[in-house]
Amino acid sequence: MALATRTDRRPSFAHTVWDSSVGKKTVMAVSGLIMLLYLVVHMIGNLKIFFGTGEFNHYAHWLRTVGEPFMHYEWTLWLIRIVLVVAVVAHAVSAYQLSRRDIRARPSKYVHRKPRASYATRTMRWGGIILGLFIVWHLLDLTTGTVHSGGFQEGHPYQNVVDTFSTWYGNVVYIVAMLALGLHVRHGFWSAAQTLGVGSRSRDRALKAVANVLALLLTAGFIAVPVGVMTGVVS
């Protein structure tokens, strides 16, 4: 008599964690903080445009030579890009799956109206979609030059930025996206702190204050560039 073979396998620890809502929220929190760190550094770098063409172009070139001679030309930059792509995909997938799980758990509307949530909370999903579309447009505009106006110039980032913000639609797309970013960061930072166990009743006020300051600084810092071009400060 032949013995039956067992084909069922216990799911791996990683699969178990990912399949849980807590695991997905943790992935969202960690990936969101990675992107937030990048945004702070990116904003500071963008502000170098106010110090002139040479300073900004030199900074853009330096990004491609970070780590030399140990790292080959652009290797560090590509490593950062890969980490960011993984973070963005992980953040988007976990957000989508959590949203679908939430809808399945509550298929019908509540009879009683829920307490009014903050504007940032109610627009997190749409904000995420806007930012996702903006990332694609931003890369096609200033990285590949595919949709760039005025003729994309490889190796001349200062002029490319000025070209983009010399058009009304370039300014509208960028400013709307940065406003969405501010709202996303404001709610996302506090939410990530709760997920990672940092939040508490005694710390909530401080965490919300940090979230508000980060959102305000990032929004103002990024919007300062198109405003600088529009007002002629950067030209």
Side-chain angles (χ1 to χ4, degrees), residues 149 159 161-171 226 229-230 234:
S149 60
Q159 190 57 48
V161 170
V162 172
D163 288 343
T164 291
F165 297 130
S166 294
T167 62
W168 68 267
Y169 57 86
N171 290 315
V229 175
M230 284 190 287
V234 177

Side-chain angles (χ1 to χ4, degrees), residues 72-125:
H72 193 60
Y73 182 75
E74 285 195 344
W75 277 14
T76 301
L77 183 59
W78 274 106
L79 182 61
I80 294 172
R81 286 170 174 169
I82 291 170
V83 171
L84 283 173
V85 168
V86 172
V88 169
V89 172
H91 197 78
V93 171
S94 55
Y96 174 77
Q97 292 184 357
L98 282 169
S99 177
R100 298 303 301 173
R101 184 171 293 184
D102 184 57
I103 292 173
R104 287 196 300 269
R106 296 194 295 269
S108 58
K109 294 183 178 180
Y110 288 105
V111 175
H112 301 289
R113 187 180 296 273
K114 296 176 67 177
R116 187 176 181 84
S118 69
Y119 186 76
T121 302
R122 290 184 283 115
T123 57
M124 281 295 284
R125 291 176 185 172

